[in-house]
């Protein structure tokens, strides 16, 4: 065992620390906390039982020491609004489990999540430790439920199932966008009236009361603010209409896509509505996104809007690029601290994840980088999920090693 120096922040913890449990200390780190503490230089992070136990420089024992040698330590990055583990090959329908035409509000694709997908080790190469998977489309506005998974690659890695309801609104190739919005409002209104009816106290009424259906339970959770509703929408006017719905029913509402969000950034900040956007969206894809720009993330941050960054396009296969997108957001005016929070703490806040920050009590999802994580040349030196170090070796690495190996046989026959 080795002695480590800690600061006064952990004095109270020192007396009660259970050193019998296996502990690990990452010492001499430049800790980017993604909290109000900001960046802590020459600091130590103590981990016990998969949780962060202290961030300090007092003298305490640890079973394992990792010397960061001044390198940057950040929370593990968190992906969102993709289908990692729900799709293997997009062109092969039998490997796609993320969407269901008739699924509706109760559709939960997480029960089909595959923790052994080859895409997970590849995502870890980009410092991703957790991800929020979500259905993409369905027949009505309610398309299903999202869930948080860790990227340990182990069975049982769905850590928070059904943590948000996903709604698709906006332009439609058939019919009017008003139809989807009206269906969304009608479903909320019907359930709101139902739960707002005066309760009868007599025993017979209680006995005859029906158990709420799965759909009703989800709607109740939305109306009570216990579960967020993530709405894919981009046109500014549509978002303004939805802000009225949020106020009427006191919803925990989040906009995803939100390509025209900069037009109503003041309204979004006032209503405390976060947005999940792509930092790389810079060209209109339709008439709902005429104001999208590479500077959108920076403008929204400056306006006081909570921003979470996600990958656009094939986000399931290219999730490892999330840090590059955050770096581009910085190059177009977003602060480095804001960009880090946009791929860690802000995502955690939106989906109620106990990670995304280097803070006492949080899950020990950590990444040690070779240099600035937003630089292209930087790589992941070490990555931990729930305090356990995991590999960044992907299928690509194995194929490279296989076909680059020296052999008397042609490369195609190397094994």
């Amino acid at each position: 065992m080795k002695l480590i120096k800690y600061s006064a922040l952990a004095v109270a913890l020192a007396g009660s620390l259970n050193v019998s449990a296996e502990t690990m200390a990452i010492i001499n780190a430049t800790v980017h906390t993604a909290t109000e503490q900001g960046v802590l230089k020459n600091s130590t992070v103590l981990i016990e039982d998969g949780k962060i136990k202290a961030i300090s420089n007092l003298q305490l024992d640890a079973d394992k020491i990792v010397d960061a040698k001044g390198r940057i330590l950040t929370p593990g990055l968190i992906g969102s609004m993709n289908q990692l583990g729900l799709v293997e090959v997009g062109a092969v329908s039998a490997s796609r489990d993320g969407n269901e035409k008739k699924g509706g509000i109760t559709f939960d694709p997480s029960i089909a999540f595959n923790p052994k997908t080859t895409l997970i080790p590849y995502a870890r190469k980009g410092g991703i430790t957790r991800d929020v998977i979500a259905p993409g489309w369905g027949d009505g506005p309610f398309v299903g439920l999202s869930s948080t998974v860790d990227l340990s690659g182990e069975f049982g890695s769905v850590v928070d199932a059904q943590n948000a309801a996903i709604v698709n609104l906006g332009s439609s190739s058939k019919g009017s966008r008003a139809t989807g919005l009206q269906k969304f409002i009608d479903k909320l209104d019907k359930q709101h009236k139902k739960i707002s009816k005066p309760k009868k106290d007599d025993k017979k009424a209680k006995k005859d009361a029906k158990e709420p259906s799965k759909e009703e339970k989800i709607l109740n959770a939305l109306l009570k603010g216990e579960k967020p509703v993530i709405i894919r929408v981009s046109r500014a006017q549509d978002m303004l209409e939805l802000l009225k719905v949020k106020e009427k029913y006191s919803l925990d509402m989040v906009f995803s896509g939100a390509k025209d969000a900069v037009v109503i950034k003041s309204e979004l900040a006032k209503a405390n509505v976060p947005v999940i956007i792509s930092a790389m969206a810079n060209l209109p894809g339709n008439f709902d996104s005429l104001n999208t720009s590479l500077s959108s993330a920076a403008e929204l941050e400056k306006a006081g809007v909570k921003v979470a960054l996600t990958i656009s396009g094939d986000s399931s296969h290219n999730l490892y690029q999330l840090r590059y997108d955050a770096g581009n957001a910085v190059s177009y005016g977003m602060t480095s601290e804001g960009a880090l929070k946009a791929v860690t703490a802000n995502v955690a806040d939106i989906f109620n994840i106990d990670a995304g920050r280097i803070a006492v009590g949080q899950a020990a999802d950590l990444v040690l980088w070779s240099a600035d994580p937003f630089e292209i040349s930087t790589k992941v030196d070490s990555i931990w999920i729930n305090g356990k170090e995991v590999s960044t070796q992907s299928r690509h690495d194995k194929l490279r090693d296989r076909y680059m190996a020296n052999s008397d046989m042609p490369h195609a026959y190397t094994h």
Side-chain angles (χ1 to χ4, degrees), residues 181-192:
L181 179 58
Q182 192 61 59
K183 286 181 179 179
F184 172 63
I185 295 172
D186 287 348
K187 194 172 284 288
L188 290 173
D189 192 55
K190 181 179 179 181
Q191 190 61 23
H192 182 264

Side-chain angles (χ1 to χ4, degrees), residues 36-57:
E36 293 74 15
Q37 287 188 289
V39 179
L40 308 175
K41 295 185 177 181
N42 299 317
S43 294
T44 300
V45 176
L46 182 69
I47 300 165
E48 182 182 60
D49 290 338
K51 299 285 187 180
I52 297 170
K53 297 296 289 186
I55 310 157
S56 45
N57 60 10

Side-chain angles (χ1 to χ4, degrees), residues 295-310:
S295 63
S296 291
E299 290 186 54
L300 290 166
E301 179 195 20
K302 290 173 184 175
V305 178
K306 179 171 287 187
V307 178
L309 296 179
T310 189

Side-chain angles (χ1 to χ4, degrees), residues 22 28 32 38 44 52 59 62 99 114 133 180 194 204 207 267 274 315 317-318 340 342 402:
E22 183 169 300
N28 301 321
H32 290 244
T44 300
I52 297 170
Q59 290 187 351
N99 305 307
N114 177 22
I133 56 174
K194 186 173 184 177
K204 186 178 184 304
K207 184 179 179 180
E267 290 87 345
S315 55
H317 290 74
N318 293 318
L340 179 61
R402 174 180 177 181

Side-chain angles (χ1 to χ4, degrees), residues 137-412:
W137 53 264
D139 255 359
F142 284 97
V143 297
L145 300 160
S146 65
S147 297
T148 300
V149 300
D150 71 41
L151 300 197
S152 63
E154 302 293 333
F155 294 118
S157 51
V158 177
V159 294
D160 186 17
Q162 304 183 9
N163 58 5
I166 310 300
V167 172
N168 289 352
L169 293 174
S171 60
S172 174
S173 58
K174 296 180 180 180
S176 169
R177 74 181 66 225
T179 302
L181 179 58
Q182 192 61 59
K183 286 181 179 179
F184 172 63
I185 295 172
D186 287 348
K187 194 172 284 288
L188 290 173
D189 192 55
K190 181 179 179 181
Q191 190 61 23
H192 182 264
K193 288 177 180 177
K194 186 173 184 177
I195 63 176
S196 299
K197 287 181 179 179
K199 300 291 187 298
K200 294 182 180 179
D201 294 329
D202 60 279
K203 292 181 180 180
K204 186 178 184 304
K206 291 181 179 180
K207 184 179 179 180
D208 293 340
K210 292 182 179 180
E211 174 74 13
S213 66
K214 290 182 179 179
E215 178 175 309
E216 288 174 330
K217 287 179 180 178
I218 295 168
L219 289 169
N220 289 346
L222 297 183
L223 291 167
K224 293 176 182 178
E226 298 170 351
K227 193 187 296 288
V229 55
I230 316 297
I231 303 179
R232 293 189 179 104
V233 63
S234 280
R235 194 168 75 170
Q237 179 57 41
D238 293 345
M239 287 185 274
L240 288 175
E241 288 298 321
L242 287 163
L243 290 183
K244 298 175 186 176
V245 178
K246 169 188 163 57
E247 184 177 3
K248 180 177 180 179
Y249 298 108
S250 300
L251 301 176
D252 180 2
M253 186 177 285
V254 180
F255 294 147
S256 178
K259 291 182 178 178
D260 265 8
V262 291
V263 178
I264 56 167
K265 56 190 177 183
S266 298
E267 290 87 345
L268 293 173
K270 183 179 179 181
N272 195 28
V273 172
V275 296
I276 304 172
I277 65 171
S278 166
M280 303 305 294
N282 68 326
L283 293 173
N286 54 36
F287 289 105
D288 286 8
S289 55
L290 296 177
N291 294 283
T292 188
S293 167
L294 291 172
S295 63
S296 291
E299 290 186 54
L300 290 166
E301 179 195 20
K302 290 173 184 175
V305 178
K306 179 171 287 187
V307 178
L309 296 179
T310 189
I311 298 290
S312 62
D314 192 358
S315 55
S316 304
H317 290 74
N318 293 318
L319 186 54
Y320 82 103
Q321 293 184 163
L322 184 60
R323 68 185 182 94
Y324 301 144
D325 287 14
N328 274 279
V330 173
S331 71
Y332 280 88
M334 197 174 198
T335 66
S336 294
E337 181 183 9
L340 179 61
K341 288 183 177 180
V343 292
T344 56
N346 291 354
V347 188
D349 288 344
I350 289 170
F351 293 98
N352 299 309
I353 301 170
D354 70 338
R357 292 176 172 84
I358 300 182
V360 173
Q362 294 282 286
D365 289 4
L366 303 167
V367 185
L368 186 62
W369 304 89
S370 63
D372 184 340
F374 296 154
E375 291 291 339
I376 290 179
S377 59
T378 298
K379 65 182 182 67
V380 173
D381 281 347
S382 298
I383 183 170
W384 296 268
I385 297 176
N386 293 317
K388 181 181 178 181
E389 188 168 8
V390 293
S391 172
T392 59
Q393 186 184 52
S394 70
R395 181 171 179 269
H396 306 70
D397 299 315
K398 293 176 182 178
L399 289 172
R400 176 202 62 204
D401 294 344
R402 174 180 177 181
Y403 292 113
M404 293 295 288
N406 291 325
S407 172
D408 293 333
M409 299 288 288
H411 285 307

